[in-house]
Amino acid sequence: MPTLSKTGQLRDLEGRQKLLLRLVELSVTLNSTLDLDELLQLITATATELLECEAASILLYDEKNPRLYFAAATGSDPAQLAEIPVPIDSSLAGTIFRTNQPLILNDAQQDPRHYALVSDHVKFKIHSLIGVPMPIKDRTMGVLEAVNKLEGGFTDSDAAILSVTAAHAAIAINNARLLRATQQALELRSR
């Protein structure tokens, strides 16, 4: 394995420092944002930026109808995507959700679990995909995915970055949901 020059090592350290600072900024922002829609857009935009890819999306688990649904995606209308139920048993997101493990596919089109209905519906071709579970306490609330790495393929390092982002995102989404439920309960009580 070739060793990096001092300049290369310095660049690598600067890149890691920038990444860590961005993750800290994200954590602070997530913990101070209580509007769910704003949170979802912030999470997908940040994941896209951190992984240097074309787009990111959040799929959340619907407990009433056991399936995943798109809650947010960069560059797409969430309402349009929410119309597409994503099966848990036969999709990439479903596999990530069920196994509670990250998944990297640098040739997503060749995987039989690739759910082409989504790509067809929004006219967006997926070449590479990385997805991680979104843990909250003892369960998984959904999946955070990123697609189409701009240079090269997704790596284990990308999976680690996305996993940290997903863990912070799950807590923030849960807090925003709890706040929304509390506000709705108080509104009903005051009527």
Side-chain angles (χ1 to χ4, degrees), residues 47 51 56 130-133 144-146 157-167:
L51 296 186
I130 184 171
V132 297
L144 178 58
E145 292 180 333
S157 177
D158 291 326
I161 292 165
L162 198 59
S163 292
V164 169
T165 304

Side-chain angles (χ1 to χ4, degrees), residues 27-182:
S27 180
V28 169
T29 304
L30 288 178
N31 287 314
S32 63
T33 305
L34 295 172
D35 178 80
L36 185 57
D37 295 328
E38 188 180 331
L39 269 174
L40 295 171
Q41 292 309 314
L42 174 68
I43 294 161
T44 56
T46 302
T48 302
E49 173 194 334
L50 290 174
L51 296 186
E52 299 175 342
C53 63
E54 218 174 310
S57 59
I58 296 171
L59 295 96
L60 296 176
Y61 180 63
D62 181 353
E63 292 180 12
K64 293 177 185 151
N65 304 307
R67 66 181 178 96
L68 293 167
Y69 67 93
F70 283 93
T74 50
S76 297
D77 177 14
Q80 184 184 21
L81 283 175
E83 297 170 0
I84 309 166
V86 179
I88 292 176
D89 58 345
S90 59
S91 67
L92 292 168
T95 300
I96 296 162
F97 182 81
R98 278 192 338 273
T99 63
N100 204 29
Q101 295 293 316
L103 180 67
I104 298 172
L105 287 176
N106 285 313
D107 190 4
Q109 296 290 322
Q110 299 305 314
D111 195 292
R113 297 166 296 183
H114 174 64
Y115 196 54
L117 179 61
V118 176
S119 300
D120 296 343
H121 194 74
V122 295
K123 311 289 187 264
F124 186 86
K125 194 139 180 104
I126 295 174
H127 304 287
S128 58
L129 176 140
I130 184 171
V132 297
M134 297 176 68
I136 185 75
K137 297 180 183 166
D138 59 347
R139 64 186 172 88
T140 300
M141 74 168 3
V143 173
L144 178 58
E145 292 180 333
V147 296
N148 299 344
K149 182 87 169 172
L150 297 177
E151 290 184 24
F154 288 112
T155 65
D156 289 340
S157 177
D158 291 326
I161 292 165
L162 198 59
S163 292
V164 169
T165 304
H168 286 286
I171 293 166
I173 290 168
N174 192 55
N175 289 343
R177 283 176 162 177
L178 290 172
L179 178 67
R180 184 181 279 179
T182 301

